[in-house]
Amino acid sequence: MKNRGGRDFAGEGERYRTMSFIATPPSPTILSPPFNLPSSGGKACCLRLGSAEGYRRVTMRGGSENRKPLQKGRNLSIEAIQAVQSLKRVKKNLQQLDRVHDAKIRRLLKFDMMAVLRELLRQNECSLALKVFEDVRNEHWYKPQVSLYADIITVLASNGLFERVEILHSYLKAEAELAPEIDGFNALLKALVCHNLGELAMESYYLMKEVGCEPDKASFRILIKGLESTGEAVDLRTVKQDAQKLYGESLEFLEEEEETATAISMH
């Protein structure tokens, strides 16, 4: 079942949209205040997307001195540039943000909407990027990609937004028809272990195997090195045993990256 389309209904002055798909029991949206994530139950649920008035405000770095320039040229159309600028201009006024979002984002074509999302991520505009990502997931052309989730999670974790990382990761696990994208999974594993999120890294590892994506040497190298640094003994033993079944007892490939890096630095 795909998380497509939404239906609008009015109630007590607020507009809500719902998306239904097979997932774990109801969980908070990316933009909602933090809640404890539910345990797995394999039941159908709905994710409710509230209007901006209901979102928890996140303080981002402000001021023109920290503002990165837009990437002009073939990466961003005029419409995409205007959308990014408009969103950033009103991001502190949540009521105006809703209006600008409806006027500028939902009418964009696929290429422009994705360009806006990636530009907001590049500028560390996390709350705005997540708001756009909610729309991306609701488009008829949307197909879940682990690489896109990895990009978003990398930026969120780099900005210390670990509660949102957990929520976004729950979205990933609920996605239907995930492609066995080895590079995307490896990028996700790297982002998680680099920020000491070993539990989520292991969940991603098991998800890889569920969708038929066989871990490669890079996958095991990332996980084993990361779990060793965090002292996750039980998970480390599990991953090492899986790696040994595929690549032998010695696990010599674990040193390959370090040797390559040393050789490059010497030159």
Side-chain angles (χ1 to χ4, degrees):
M1 182 180 298
K2 301 189 178 199
N3 45 350
R4 299 289 183 270
R7 60 184 182 88
D8 295 342
F9 62 90
E12 299 180 2
E14 288 187 300
R15 175 175 56 81
Y16 293 98
R17 304 173 66 213
T18 61
M19 298 186 298
S20 299
F21 53 86
I22 299 300
T24 56
S27 61
T29 66
I30 305 173
L31 295 171
S32 64
F35 297 95
N36 292 327
L37 292 177
S39 59
S40 177
K43 297 179 181 180
C45 75
C46 297
L47 293 182
R48 190 176 69 177
L49 306 183
S51 63
E53 289 85 343
Y55 298 152
R56 177 169 62 94
R57 180 173 296 183
V58 176
T59 303
M60 304 298 293
R61 291 177 297 177
S64 58
E65 68 277 3
N66 293 324
R67 187 173 301 155
K68 294 183 181 180
L70 291 171
Q71 288 185 334
K72 297 182 180 179
R74 66 185 181 90
N75 292 326
L76 287 173
S77 66
I78 294 176
E79 290 80 6
I81 292 174
Q82 290 175 343
V84 172
Q85 291 174 335
S86 298
L87 288 173
K88 292 176 65 177
R89 192 177 300 119
V90 301
K91 65 181 181 181
K92 293 183 179 180
N93 187 319
L94 299 181
Q95 189 170 11
Q96 289 186 30
L97 178 59
D98 262 357
R99 289 199 293 268
V100 170
H101 174 262
D102 290 344
K104 294 289 187 179
I105 299 300
R106 289 178 179 165
R107 64 182 180 85
L108 292 177
L109 299 176
K110 174 182 178 180
F111 178 85
D112 288 333
M113 188 177 289
M114 293 301 300
V116 168
L117 173 58
R118 294 194 179 278
E119 180 62 19
L120 291 171
L121 289 171
R122 188 185 74 85
Q123 297 192 33
N124 290 314
E125 294 286 353
C126 298
S127 293
L128 295 179
L130 290 174
K131 191 171 180 64
V132 173
F133 183 55
E134 292 279 13
D135 285 304
V136 169
R137 295 180 76 243
N138 223 17
E139 289 291 334
H140 66 88
W141 43 258
Y142 172 73
K143 292 183 179 180
Q145 292 181 310
V146 179
S147 56
L148 178 58
Y149 272 93
D151 290 342
I152 301 174
I153 285 175
T154 298
V155 175
L156 294 179
S158 298
N159 284 273
L161 300 176
F162 299 115
E163 291 168 342
R164 293 190 179 189
V165 168
E166 291 186 20
I167 296 172
L168 192 64
H169 194 270
S170 72
Y171 276 36
L172 173 62
K173 292 191 298 180
E175 292 282 17
E177 300 180 7
L178 269 180
E181 188 184 355
I182 186 63
D183 290 338
F185 272 110
N186 286 345
L188 177 62
L189 291 173
K190 185 175 182 179
L192 294 172
V193 299
C194 282
H195 292 89
N196 297 322
L197 298 172
E199 184 176 347
L200 292 183
M202 286 302 297
E203 290 180 17
S204 300
Y205 173 67
Y206 293 127
L207 180 61
M208 287 180 72
K209 299 199 283 187
E210 286 179 13
V211 301
C213 184
E214 190 69 33
D216 61 6
K217 290 182 179 180
S219 310
F220 287 117
R221 188 183 300 117
I222 292 168
L223 267 178
I224 292 173
K225 296 291 185 181
L227 294 174
E228 284 178 342
S229 65
T230 58
E232 305 282 347
V234 176
D235 292 334
L236 177 60
R237 183 166 56 251
T238 298
V239 175
K240 277 189 172 182
Q241 289 173 348
D242 290 348
Q244 287 170 337
K245 291 177 183 177
L246 292 174
Y247 299 108
E249 293 291 328
S250 64
L251 298 181
E252 294 178 354
F253 69 88
L254 293 176
E255 310 302 326
E256 292 176 2
E257 187 179 59
E258 293 180 1
E259 293 175 358
T260 302
T262 302
I264 293 174
S265 63
M266 291 178 65
H267 291 289

